């Protein structure tokens, strides 16, 4: 993903440049190590992982007597990649199922959750485009009935991408009813995938749990819920992490979409969020456009971080 690397590098990030500056010194002083640590913390790698990383790096540098800054950098790169964990399965499950008697196809359902403003609706639109390009038939469900404009925004994405959007005519309609209608429509039309956009009000955990729980229940009556994607705004740092915890608890999240990576050097949140939730980052948002969604690739990501 040269594009990701380019964007991360161009995002005005002091991270890559700072790391490079520290790591290019002939001999790393105590101050340099502190600076390295601070740089990783500023990139939202998180206190725990940053501490482990620095300790491991220091001990390798000492034990192996590494002097060459390029080698130190290479070791840091390896360690970061390991932290991001290349062994995780990041594929999206969008494989349709079958009815109980095996006679007909039922669509795979992808539920998209997260706090409002993180980029849920945009992600649904972009994802629809990717799936359509791969030859899948897609239906969108506008179950964010809380925000009046959300259904319009999703419908606009639907027409742009050439897929049907199921929505309610009323504001404040029952989101589970819309999700149900969307999945039903997907079944009836033999669609491969139904993407369901939801509202993300976080004031009240019990309310969110009720709402998402009900949506899950009605969906799974009709078709397999194959993915629950949590959309996280990469620019929100630790706050985003707290939100992520709540959603992971209530929504059974299977993958994370990290949006707005084009606008931040704080991509280290990937490390923190995966470690915290035990759920892989599967996709990244790299802009507002229809083509700005990419699979998450650990090596490219780390190279982008390091600049
Ligand atoms: P929702 O409330 O979670 O559905 O969020 P929206 O999809 O409406 O997105 C909120 C804003 O973030 C919109 O202005 C989007 O264009 C913007 N946005 C979404 N994803 C990205 C991304 O990856 N990069 C950038 N720069 N902006 C994004």
């Amino acid at each position: 993903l040269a594009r990701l690397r380019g964007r991360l590098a161009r995002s005005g990030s002091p991270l890559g440049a700072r790391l490079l500056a520290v790591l290019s010194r002939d001999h790393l002083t105590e101050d340099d190590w502190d600076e390295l640590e601070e740089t990783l913390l500023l990139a939202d790698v998180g206190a725990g992982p940053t501490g482990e990383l620095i300790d491991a790096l220091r001990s390798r540098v000492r034990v192996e007597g590494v002097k060459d800054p390029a080698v130190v950098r290479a070791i840091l790169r390896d360690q970061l990649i390991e932290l991001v964990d290349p062994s995780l399965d990041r594929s999206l499950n969008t494989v349709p199922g079958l009815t109980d008697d095996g006679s007909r196809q039922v669509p795979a359902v992808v539920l998209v959750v997260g706090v409002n403003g993180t980029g849920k609706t945009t992600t649904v639109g972009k994802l629809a485009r990717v799936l359509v390009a791969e030859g899948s038939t897609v239906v969108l469900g506008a179950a964010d009935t809380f925000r009046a404009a959300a259904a319009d925004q999703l419908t606009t994405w639907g027409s742009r991408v050439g897929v049907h959007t199921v929505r309610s005519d009323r504001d404040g309609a029952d989101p589970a009813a819309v999700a149900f209608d969307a999945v039903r429509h997907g079944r009836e039309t033999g669609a491969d995938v139904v993407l369901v956009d939801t509202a993300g009000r976080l004031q009240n955990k019990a309310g969110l749990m009720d709402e998402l729980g009900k949506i899950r229940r009605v969906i799974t009556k009709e078709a397999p819920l194959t993915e629950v994607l949590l959309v996280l705004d990469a620019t929100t740092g630790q706050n985003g992490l707290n939100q992520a915890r709540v959603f992971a608890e209530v929504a059974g999240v299977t993958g994370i979409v990290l949006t707005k990576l084009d606008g931040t050097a704080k991509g280290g949140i990937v490390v923190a969020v995966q470690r915290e939730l035990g759920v892989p980052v599967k996709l990244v948002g790299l802009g507002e456009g229809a083509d700005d969604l990419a699979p998450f690739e650990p090596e490219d990501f780390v190279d982008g971080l390091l600049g």
Side-chain angles (χ1 to χ4, degrees):
L1 272 187
R3 211 154 62 93
L4 170 58
R5 201 172 308 168
R7 299 243 179 147
L8 277 169
R10 268 188 279 113
S11 62
S13 119
L15 174 68
R18 259 189 95 180
L19 276 177
L20 220 56
V22 178
L23 291 171
S24 61
R25 289 168 198 160
D26 287 341
H27 171 74
L28 293 181
T29 64
E30 212 49 47
D31 281 350
D32 292 338
W33 284 109
D34 285 349
E35 196 176 335
L36 202 55
E37 182 167 1
E38 192 187 313
T39 307
L40 292 169
L41 286 173
L42 282 173
D44 279 338
V45 172
T50 296
E52 287 168 31
L53 211 90
I54 295 286
D55 286 350
L57 189 62
R58 284 192 80 150
S59 89
R60 270 193 73 177
V61 166
R62 198 171 46 235
V63 170
E64 294 169 26
V66 179
K67 296 231 162 47
D68 184 350
V71 178
V72 180
R73 184 181 186 281
I75 297 174
L76 176 62
R77 176 179 185 273
D78 287 350
Q79 286 180 332
L80 277 168
I81 290 172
E82 206 164 299
L83 263 184
V84 175
D85 197 351
S87 71
L88 293 177
D89 179 8
R90 298 175 198 276
S91 58
L92 267 198
N93 182 359
T94 52
V95 181
L98 286 174
T99 50
D100 287 341
D101 62 3
S103 65
R104 285 182 59 204
Q105 172 173 306
V106 290
V109 183
V110 179
L111 188 63
V112 180
V113 304
V115 175
N116 285 335
T118 52
K120 277 188 307 291
T121 306
T122 309
T123 298
V124 170
K126 293 171 178 174
L127 187 54
R129 177 161 168 120
V130 171
L131 292 168
V132 166
E134 287 173 1
S136 295
T137 46
V138 178
V139 170
L140 304 183
D144 179 355
T145 55
F146 184 67
R147 214 159 42 93
D152 291 341
Q153 195 189 335
L154 192 69
T155 309
T156 304
W157 270 104
S159 22
R160 194 191 297 179
V161 177
V163 304
H164 180 66
T165 304
V166 174
R167 57 181 293 176
S168 168
D169 300 332
R170 297 185 290 122
D171 283 351
D174 179 3
V178 179
F180 180 84
D181 286 347
V183 176
R184 184 46 73 81
H185 182 81
R187 268 183 82 133
E188 283 169 2
T189 57
D192 298 312
V193 190
V194 180
L195 303 177
V196 179
D197 189 18
T198 63
R201 284 167 291 154
L202 245 194
Q203 303 90 315
N204 176 344
K205 186 169 156 188
L208 184 77
M209 201 181 289
D210 279 355
E211 184 166 308
L212 289 176
K214 190 170 168 200
I215 291 176
R216 286 183 66 108
R217 281 195 301 281
V218 302
I219 288 174
T220 45
K221 269 187 210 151
E222 289 288 296
L225 183 57
T226 56
E227 289 279 353
V228 179
L229 296 179
L230 171 64
V231 177
L232 259 192
D233 177 341
T235 66
T236 54
Q238 291 301 313
N239 189 25
L241 201 58
N242 292 334
Q243 300 168 354
R245 259 185 229 118
V246 175
F247 277 94
E249 268 175 50
V250 306
V253 174
T254 59
I256 294 159
V257 184
L258 203 62
T259 57
K260 309 187 194 182
L261 263 184
D262 51 309
T264 178
K266 292 183 172 282
I269 193 76
V270 167
V271 173
V273 80
Q274 279 192 172
R275 175 169 291 209
E276 186 75 25
L277 306 185
V279 174
V281 174
K282 294 190 169 178
L283 299 165
V284 290
L286 299 169
E288 299 186 83
D291 294 321
D292 296 328
L293 185 73
F296 178 74
E297 311 270 5
E299 296 207 5
D300 290 324
F301 173 75
V302 168
D303 287 336
L305 262 186
L306 289 176

